[in-house]
Amino acid sequence: MPTLKSLLCMLPRLWDTLRERVSTVSYPFGPAGVPANFRGQVSIEPDLCRGCGACVRDCPAFALELEKESRDKFRLIYYPRRCIFCGQCEESCRFDTIQLTNEFVGPSVGRRPSREVLVDRKPVEEPDSEVDENNDCHL
């Protein structure tokens, strides 16, 4: 008899549960949504980068490296295998150069590149005006 009593007690709850709306995501049948604060691929605006190194200094995973030859000559290198997508580089950049988008990091065939050059800033060197293409000197 206790089994029948517990069954009768559960029937209203079962009926309410069956009438409720589905609370799961519709992923296999629709696109997967991302949460509001999702941090995905690293995106950069190379023209805004000043080479200050704040992002490199604050990165806890050492995923960024700054090779600086002078004030105007530098390279910002990104190591995607090291990146933990914490967003610290985005927070520490004063010039809004680095953003973490809400795009997924896509799959790769084979190995992902171990490093990517995000910014390669070298001043354009003017050609020497006294030497032409045929290496003839002008007098």
Side-chain angles (χ1 to χ4, degrees), residues 72-91:
D72 296 331
K73 287 179 78 172
F74 62 88
R75 288 173 47 164
L76 181 65
I77 300 172
Y78 170 62
Y79 296 91
R81 291 183 188 169
R82 295 180 189 172
C83 186
I84 57 173
F85 304 101
C86 65
Q88 187 62 45
C89 57
E90 181 180 20
E91 292 292 323

Side-chain angles (χ1 to χ4, degrees), residues 108-121:
S108 61
V109 178
R111 296 180 61 178
R112 288 180 61 192
S114 60
R115 63 187 246 164
E116 297 174 19
V117 177
L118 296 179
V119 178
D120 193 1
R121 177 94 34 90

Side-chain angles (χ1 to χ4, degrees), residues 52-95:
C52 66
C55 56
V56 176
R57 179 193 65 214
D58 293 341
C59 181
F62 305 106
L64 293 171
E65 180 182 351
L66 184 66
E67 294 177 354
K68 198 165 191 169
E69 294 177 25
S70 69
R71 182 176 173 208
D72 296 331
K73 287 179 78 172
F74 62 88
R75 288 173 47 164
L76 181 65
I77 300 172
Y78 170 62
Y79 296 91
R81 291 183 188 169
R82 295 180 189 172
C83 186
I84 57 173
F85 304 101
C86 65
Q88 187 62 45
C89 57
E90 181 180 20
E91 292 292 323
S92 61
C93 183
R94 294 178 284 167
F95 305 106

Side-chain angles (χ1 to χ4, degrees), residues 1-10:
M1 201 55 131
T3 309
L4 182 61
K5 188 175 180 181
S6 63
L7 182 63
L8 289 174
C9 181
M10 286 180 57

